[in-house]
Coordinates of all heavy atoms in Angstrom, one line a residue:
M1140 N 58.8 365.8 -82.9 CA 59.5 365.9 -84.1 C 60.9 365.3 -84.2 O 61.3 364.6 -85.1 CB 59.5 367.4 -84.5 CG 60.2 367.7 -85.8 SD 59.2 367.2 -87.2 CE 60.1 367.9 -88.5
K1141 N 61.7 365.7 -83.1 CA 63.1 365.2 -83.1 C 63.1 363.7 -83.0 O 64.0 363.1 -83.6 CB 63.8 365.9 -81.9 CG 65.3 365.6 -82.0 CD 66.1 366.5 -81.1 CE 65.6 366.8 -79.8 NZ 66.6 367.5 -78.9
N1142 N 62.2 363.1 -82.2 CA 62.2 361.6 -82.1 C 62.0 360.9 -83.4 O 62.6 359.9 -83.7 CB 61.1 361.2 -81.1 CG 61.6 361.4 -79.7 OD1 62.7 361.4 -79.4 ND2 60.6 361.5 -78.8
R1143 N 61.1 361.5 -84.2 CA 60.8 361.0 -85.6 C 62.1 361.1 -86.5 O 62.4 360.2 -87.2 CB 59.7 361.7 -86.2 CG 58.4 361.4 -85.6 CD 57.2 362.1 -86.2 NE 57.0 361.5 -87.6 CZ 56.3 362.0 -88.5 NH1 55.8 363.2 -88.3 NH2 56.2 361.5 -89.7
I1144 N 62.8 362.2 -86.3 CA 64.0 362.4 -87.2 C 65.1 361.4 -86.7 O 65.7 360.7 -87.5 CB 64.6 363.8 -87.0 CG1 63.6 364.8 -87.6 CG2 65.9 364.0 -87.7 CD1 63.9 366.3 -87.4
V1145 N 65.2 361.1 -85.4 CA 66.2 360.2 -84.9 C 65.9 358.8 -85.3 O 66.8 358.1 -85.8 CB 66.3 360.3 -83.3 CG1 67.1 359.2 -82.8 CG2 66.9 361.6 -82.9
R1146 N 64.6 358.4 -85.2 CA 64.2 357.1 -85.7 C 64.5 356.9 -87.2 O 64.9 355.9 -87.6 CB 62.8 356.8 -85.3 CG 62.5 356.7 -83.9 CD 61.1 356.3 -83.6 NE 60.8 356.6 -82.2 CZ 59.6 357.0 -81.8 NH1 58.6 357.3 -82.7 NH2 59.4 357.2 -80.5
G1147 N 64.2 357.9 -87.9 CA 64.4 357.9 -89.4 C 65.9 357.7 -89.8 O 66.2 356.9 -90.6
I1148 N 66.7 358.5 -89.1 CA 68.1 358.4 -89.3 C 68.7 357.0 -88.9 O 69.4 356.3 -89.6 CB 68.9 359.5 -88.5 CG1 68.6 360.9 -89.1 CG2 70.4 359.2 -88.6 CD1 69.1 362.0 -88.4
A1149 N 68.2 356.5 -87.8 CA 68.7 355.1 -87.3 C 68.2 354.1 -88.3 O 69.0 353.2 -88.6 CB 68.2 354.9 -85.9
G1150 N 67.0 354.1 -88.7 CA 66.5 353.1 -89.6 C 67.2 353.2 -91.0 O 67.5 352.2 -91.6
S1151 N 67.5 354.4 -91.4 CA 68.2 354.5 -92.7 C 69.7 354.0 -92.5 O 70.2 353.3 -93.4 CB 68.3 356.0 -93.1 OG 67.0 356.5 -93.3
F1152 N 70.3 354.3 -91.4 CA 71.7 353.8 -91.2 C 71.7 352.2 -91.2 O 72.6 351.6 -91.8 CB 72.2 354.2 -89.9 CG 72.8 355.6 -89.9 CD1 73.2 356.2 -88.7 CD2 72.9 356.3 -91.0 CE1 73.7 357.5 -88.7 CE2 73.5 357.7 -91.0 CZ 73.8 358.2 -89.8
I1153 N 70.7 351.6 -90.6 CA 70.6 350.2 -90.5 C 70.4 349.6 -91.9 O 71.1 348.6 -92.3 CB 69.5 349.7 -89.5 CG1 69.9 350.0 -88.1 CG2 69.2 348.3 -89.7 CD1 68.9 349.8 -87.1
L1154 N 69.4 350.1 -92.6 CA 69.1 349.6 -94.0 C 70.3 349.8 -95.0 O 70.7 348.9 -95.7 CB 67.9 350.2 -94.6 CG 66.6 349.9 -93.9 CD1 65.4 350.7 -94.4 CD2 66.3 348.4 -94.0
I1155 N 71.0 351.0 -94.9 CA 72.1 351.2 -95.7 C 73.3 350.3 -95.4 O 73.9 349.7 -96.2 CB 72.6 352.7 -95.6 CG1 71.5 353.6 -96.3 CG2 73.9 353.0 -96.2 CD1 71.7 355.1 -96.0
S1156 N 73.5 350.1 -94.1 CA 74.6 349.2 -93.7 C 74.4 347.8 -94.1 O 75.3 347.0 -94.4 CB 75.0 349.4 -92.2 OG 73.9 348.9 -91.4
L1157 N 73.1 347.4 -94.1 CA 72.7 346.0 -94.4 C 73.0 345.9 -95.9 O 73.5 344.8 -96.4 CB 71.3 345.7 -94.1 CG 71.0 345.4 -92.6 CD1 69.5 345.2 -92.5 CD2 71.7 344.2 -92.1
L1158 N 72.6 346.8 -96.7 CA 72.9 346.8 -98.2 C 74.4 346.8 -98.4 O 74.9 346.0 -99.3 CB 72.2 348.0 -98.9 CG 70.7 347.9 -99.0 CD1 70.2 349.2 -99.5 CD2 70.3 346.7 -99.9
L1159 N 75.1 347.6 -97.7 CA 76.6 347.6 -97.9 C 77.2 346.2 -97.5 O 78.2 345.8 -98.1 CB 77.2 348.7 -97.1 CG 77.0 350.1 -97.6 CD1 77.4 351.2 -96.6 CD2 77.7 350.3 -98.9
A1160 N 76.7 345.6 -96.5 CA 77.1 344.3 -96.0 C 76.9 343.2 -97.1 O 77.7 342.3 -97.4 CB 76.5 343.9 -94.7
I1161 N 75.8 343.3 -97.8 CA 75.4 342.4 -98.8 C 76.3 342.6 -100.1 O 76.8 341.6 -100.7 CB 73.9 342.5 -99.2 CG1 73.1 342.0 -98.0 CG2 73.6 341.7 -100.5 CD1 71.6 342.2 -98.2
Y1162 N 76.4 343.9 -100.5 CA 77.1 344.1 -101.8 C 78.5 344.5 -101.7 O 79.2 344.5 -102.8 CB 76.3 345.2 -102.5 CG 74.9 344.7 -102.9 CD1 73.8 345.2 -102.3 CD2 74.7 343.7 -103.9 CE1 72.5 344.8 -102.7 CE2 73.4 343.3 -104.2 CZ 72.3 343.8 -103.6 OH 71.1 343.4 -103.9
V1163 N 79.0 345.0 -100.6 CA 80.4 345.4 -100.5 C 81.2 344.5 -99.6 O 82.2 343.9 -100.1 CB 80.5 346.9 -100.0 CG1 81.9 347.4 -99.9 CG2 79.7 347.8 -100.9
N1164 N 80.9 344.5 -98.3 CA 81.7 343.8 -97.4 C 81.0 343.5 -96.1 O 80.3 344.3 -95.6 CB 83.0 344.6 -97.0 CG 84.0 343.8 -96.2 OD1 83.6 342.9 -95.5 ND2 85.3 344.1 -96.4
Q1165 N 81.0 342.3 -95.6 CA 80.3 341.9 -94.5 C 80.7 342.6 -93.2 O 79.9 342.6 -92.2 CB 80.4 340.4 -94.2 CG 79.6 339.5 -95.1 CD 79.5 338.1 -94.7 OE1 80.4 337.6 -93.9 NE2 78.6 337.4 -95.2
N1166 N 81.8 343.3 -93.2 CA 82.2 344.0 -92.0 C 81.3 345.3 -91.7 O 81.3 345.8 -90.7 CB 83.7 344.5 -92.1 CG 84.6 343.4 -91.9 OD1 84.4 342.5 -91.1 ND2 85.8 343.4 -92.6
W1167 N 80.5 345.6 -92.7 CA 79.5 346.7 -92.5 C 78.5 346.3 -91.4 O 77.8 347.1 -90.9 CB 78.8 347.1 -93.8 CG 79.7 348.0 -94.6 CD1 80.4 347.6 -95.7 CD2 79.9 349.4 -94.4 NE1 81.1 348.8 -96.2 CE2 80.7 349.8 -95.4 CE3 79.4 350.3 -93.5 CZ2 81.2 351.1 -95.5 CZ3 79.8 351.6 -93.5 CH2 80.7 352.0 -94.6
L1168 N 78.3 345.0 -91.1 CA 77.4 344.5 -90.1 C 77.8 345.1 -88.8 O 77.0 345.1 -87.8 CB 77.3 343.0 -90.1 CG 76.6 342.4 -91.3 CD1 76.7 340.9 -91.3 CD2 75.2 342.9 -91.4
W1169 N 79.1 345.4 -88.6 CA 79.6 346.0 -87.3 C 78.9 347.4 -87.1 O 78.6 347.8 -86.0 CB 81.1 346.1 -87.2 CG 81.7 344.8 -87.1 CD1 82.5 344.1 -88.0 CD2 81.8 344.0 -85.9 NE1 82.9 342.9 -87.5 CE2 82.5 342.8 -86.2 CE3 81.2 344.2 -84.6 CZ2 82.7 341.8 -85.2 CZ3 81.4 343.2 -83.6 CH2 82.2 342.0 -84.0
F1170 N 78.7 348.1 -88.2 CA 78.0 349.4 -88.1 C 76.6 349.2 -87.7 O 76.0 349.9 -86.9 CB 78.1 350.1 -89.4 CG 77.5 351.5 -89.4 CD1 78.1 352.5 -88.6 CD2 76.3 351.8 -90.1 CE1 77.6 353.8 -88.6 CE2 75.9 353.1 -90.0 CZ 76.4 354.1 -89.3
T1171 N 75.9 348.2 -88.3 CA 74.6 347.8 -87.9 C 74.5 347.5 -86.4 O 73.5 348.0 -85.7 CB 74.0 346.6 -88.7 OG1 74.3 346.9 -90.1 CG2 72.5 346.4 -88.5
A1172 N 75.4 346.7 -85.9 CA 75.4 346.4 -84.5 C 75.7 347.6 -83.6 O 75.0 347.7 -82.5 CB 76.5 345.4 -84.2
F1173 N 76.5 348.5 -84.1 CA 76.7 349.8 -83.4 C 75.5 350.6 -83.3 O 75.1 351.2 -82.2 CB 77.9 350.5 -84.0 CG 78.1 351.9 -83.5 CD1 78.8 352.0 -82.3 CD2 77.7 353.1 -84.1 CE1 79.0 353.3 -81.7 CE2 77.9 354.3 -83.6 CZ 78.6 354.4 -82.4
V1174 N 74.7 350.7 -84.3 CA 73.5 351.5 -84.3 C 72.5 350.8 -83.4 O 71.8 351.5 -82.6 CB 72.9 351.7 -85.7 CG1 71.6 352.4 -85.7 CG2 73.9 352.5 -86.6
G1175 N 72.4 349.5 -83.5 CA 71.5 348.8 -82.6 C 71.8 348.9 -81.1 O 71.0 349.1 -80.2
A1176 N 73.1 348.9 -80.8 CA 73.6 349.0 -79.4 C 73.3 350.4 -78.9 O 72.9 350.6 -77.8 CB 75.1 348.7 -79.3
N1177 N 73.5 351.4 -79.8 CA 73.1 352.8 -79.4 C 71.6 353.0 -79.1 O 71.2 353.7 -78.2 CB 73.6 353.8 -80.4 CG 75.1 354.2 -80.2 OD1 75.5 354.5 -79.2 ND2 75.8 354.1 -81.2
L1178 N 70.8 352.3 -79.9 CA 69.3 352.4 -79.7 C 69.0 351.8 -78.4 O 68.2 352.3 -77.6 CB 68.6 351.7 -80.8 CG 68.5 352.5 -82.2 CD1 68.0 351.5 -83.3 CD2 67.8 353.7 -82.1
L1179 N 69.6 350.6 -78.1 CA 69.4 349.9 -76.8 C 69.8 350.8 -75.6 O 69.1 351.0 -74.6 CB 70.1 348.6 -76.8 CG 69.9 347.8 -75.5 CD1 68.4 347.4 -75.2 CD2 70.8 346.5 -75.5
Q1180 N 71.1 351.3 -75.7 CA 71.6 352.2 -74.7 C 70.7 353.4 -74.5 O 70.4 353.8 -73.4 CB 73.0 352.6 -75.1 CG 73.7 353.7 -74.2 CD 73.4 355.1 -74.7 OE1 73.3 355.3 -75.9 NE2 73.2 356.0 -73.8
S1181 N 70.2 354.0 -75.6 CA 69.4 355.2 -75.5 C 68.1 354.8 -74.8 O 67.5 355.6 -74.0 CB 69.1 355.7 -76.9 OG 68.0 356.5 -76.9
S1182 N 67.5 353.6 -75.0 CA 66.2 353.3 -74.3 C 66.5 353.1 -72.8 O 65.6 353.3 -72.0 CB 65.7 352.0 -74.9 OG 66.4 350.9 -74.6
L1183 N 67.6 352.7 -72.4 CA 67.9 352.5 -71.0 C 68.3 353.7 -70.2 O 67.9 353.9 -69.1 CB 69.0 351.4 -70.9 CG 68.7 350.0 -71.4 CD1 69.9 349.1 -71.3 CD2 67.5 349.4 -70.6
T1184 N 69.1 354.6 -70.9 CA 69.6 355.8 -70.2 C 68.9 357.1 -70.5 O 69.1 358.1 -69.9 CB 71.1 355.9 -70.6 OG1 71.2 356.3 -71.9 CG2 71.9 354.8 -70.2
K1185 N 68.0 357.0 -71.5 CA 67.3 358.2 -71.9 C 68.2 359.3 -72.5 O 67.9 360.5 -72.4 CB 66.4 358.7 -70.9 CG 65.3 357.7 -70.4 CD 64.4 358.3 -69.4 CE 63.4 357.2 -69.0 NZ 62.6 357.6 -67.9
W1186 N 69.4 358.9 -73.0 CA 70.3 359.8 -73.6 C 70.7 359.3 -74.9 O 71.0 358.1 -75.1 CB 71.6 360.0 -72.8 CG 72.6 360.9 -73.4 CD1 72.6 362.2 -73.4 CD2 73.7 360.5 -74.2 NE1 73.7 362.7 -74.2 CE2 74.4 361.6 -74.6 CE3 74.3 359.2 -74.5 CZ2 75.5 361.6 -75.4 CZ3 75.4 359.2 -75.3 CH2 76.0 360.4 -75.7
C1187 N 70.6 360.2 -75.9 CA 70.9 359.8 -77.3 C 71.9 360.8 -77.9 O 71.6 362.0 -78.0 CB 69.7 359.7 -78.1 SG 69.9 359.3 -79.8
L1188 N 73.0 360.3 -78.5 CA 74.0 361.2 -79.1 C 73.4 361.9 -80.3 O 73.7 363.1 -80.5 CB 75.2 360.4 -79.5 CG 76.3 361.1 -80.2 CD1 76.9 362.2 -79.3 CD2 77.4 360.2 -80.7
M1189 N 72.6 361.2 -81.1 CA 72.0 361.9 -82.3 C 71.1 363.0 -81.8 O 71.0 364.1 -82.5 CB 71.2 360.8 -83.1 CG 70.6 361.4 -84.4 SD 71.8 362.1 -85.5 CE 72.8 360.7 -86.1
D1190 N 70.4 362.9 -80.7 CA 69.6 363.9 -80.1 C 70.5 365.2 -79.9 O 70.1 366.3 -80.3 CB 69.0 363.5 -78.8 CG 67.5 363.4 -78.8 OD1 66.9 363.9 -79.7 OD2 67.0 362.9 -77.8
D1191 N 71.6 365.0 -79.3 CA 72.5 366.1 -79.0 C 73.1 366.8 -80.3 O 73.1 367.9 -80.4 CB 73.7 365.6 -78.1 CG 73.3 365.3 -76.7 OD1 72.1 365.6 -76.4 OD2 74.1 364.8 -76.0
I1192 N 73.4 365.9 -81.3 CA 73.9 366.4 -82.6 C 72.8 367.3 -83.3 O 73.1 368.3 -83.7 CB 74.3 365.2 -83.4 CG1 75.6 364.6 -82.8 CG2 74.6 365.7 -84.9 CD1 76.0 363.3 -83.6
L1193 N 71.6 366.8 -83.3 CA 70.5 367.5 -83.9 C 70.3 368.8 -83.2 O 70.0 369.8 -83.9 CB 69.2 366.7 -84.1 CG 69.3 365.5 -85.0 CD1 68.0 364.7 -84.8 CD2 69.4 366.0 -86.4
T1194 N 70.4 368.8 -81.9 CA 70.1 370.1 -81.1 C 71.2 371.1 -81.4 O 70.9 372.3 -81.6 CB 70.0 369.7 -79.6 OG1 69.0 368.8 -79.4 CG2 69.8 371.0 -78.8
K1195 N 72.4 370.7 -81.4 CA 73.6 371.6 -81.6 C 73.8 372.1 -83.0 O 74.0 373.2 -83.3 CB 74.8 371.0 -81.1 CG 74.9 370.9 -79.6 CD 76.1 370.2 -79.1 CE 76.0 370.0 -77.6 NZ 77.2 369.3 -77.0
V1196 N 73.6 371.2 -84.0 CA 73.9 371.5 -85.4 C 72.7 372.2 -86.1 O 72.9 373.2 -86.7 CB 74.3 370.2 -86.2 CG1 74.4 370.5 -87.7 CG2 75.6 369.6 -85.6
F1197 N 71.5 371.7 -85.8 CA 70.4 372.2 -86.5 C 69.4 373.0 -85.7 O 68.4 373.4 -86.1 CB 69.6 371.1 -87.2 CG 70.4 370.3 -88.3 CD1 70.8 369.0 -88.0 CD2 70.8 370.9 -89.4 CE1 71.6 368.4 -88.9 CE2 71.5 370.3 -90.4 CZ 72.0 369.0 -90.1
K1198 N 69.7 373.1 -84.4 CA 69.0 373.9 -83.5 C 67.5 373.3 -83.3 O 66.6 374.1 -83.2 CB 68.9 375.4 -83.8 CG 70.3 376.0 -84.0 CD 71.0 376.3 -82.7 CE 72.2 377.1 -82.9 NZ 73.4 376.5 -83.0
I1199 N 67.3 372.0 -83.5 CA 66.1 371.3 -83.4 C 65.7 371.1 -81.9 O 66.5 370.4 -81.2 CB 66.1 370.1 -84.2 CG1 66.3 370.4 -85.7 CG2 64.7 369.3 -84.0 CD1 66.4 369.1 -86.6
K1200 N 64.7 371.6 -81.5 CA 64.2 371.4 -80.1 C 63.2 370.3 -80.1 O 62.7 369.8 -81.1 CB 63.6 372.7 -79.5 CG 64.6 373.8 -79.5 CD 65.7 373.6 -78.5 CE 66.6 374.8 -78.5 NZ 67.9 374.7 -77.8
D1201 N 62.8 369.9 -78.9 CA 61.8 368.8 -78.7 C 60.5 369.4 -79.3 O 59.7 369.0 -79.9 CB 61.5 368.5 -77.3 CG 62.7 367.7 -76.7 OD1 63.3 367.0 -77.4 OD2 62.9 367.9 -75.5

């Protein structure tokens, strides 16, 4: 369940930042790159900040 939520949040962040880059300012692409880098880092280290946030704030377990 938590993995689906993390993927949904990451996908939403990417799509929103792409829309903001098109309609507001291209610097929003840095946010897209940040989310992508965190996804890559998460796949290599098996640690995800969003995982920790969901666990602490919403008490969502695996």
Side-chain angles (χ1 to χ4, degrees):
M1140 176 75 172
K1141 190 164 45 170
N1142 282 336
R1143 291 181 66 196
I1144 295 171
V1145 169
R1146 289 184 197 145
I1148 291 171
S1151 299
F1152 281 173
I1153 289 172
L1154 292 174
I1155 290 168
S1156 65
L1157 287 174
L1158 288 172
L1159 287 168
I1161 292 169
Y1162 294 111
V1163 178
N1164 188 329
Q1165 283 189 343
N1166 284 327
W1167 281 102
L1168 291 174
W1169 287 107
F1170 184 70
T1171 308
F1173 174 75
V1174 173
N1177 276 310
L1178 287 170
L1179 179 62
Q1180 171 269 326
S1181 165
S1182 73
L1183 297 173
T1184 64
K1185 298 180 182 173
W1186 177 78
C1187 178
L1188 178 61
M1189 185 58 69
D1190 244 348
D1191 290 349
I1192 291 171
L1193 289 172
T1194 301
K1195 289 179 182 175
V1196 174
F1197 298 108
K1198 309 285 191 259
I1199 297 176
K1200 302 289 181 193
D1201 291 326

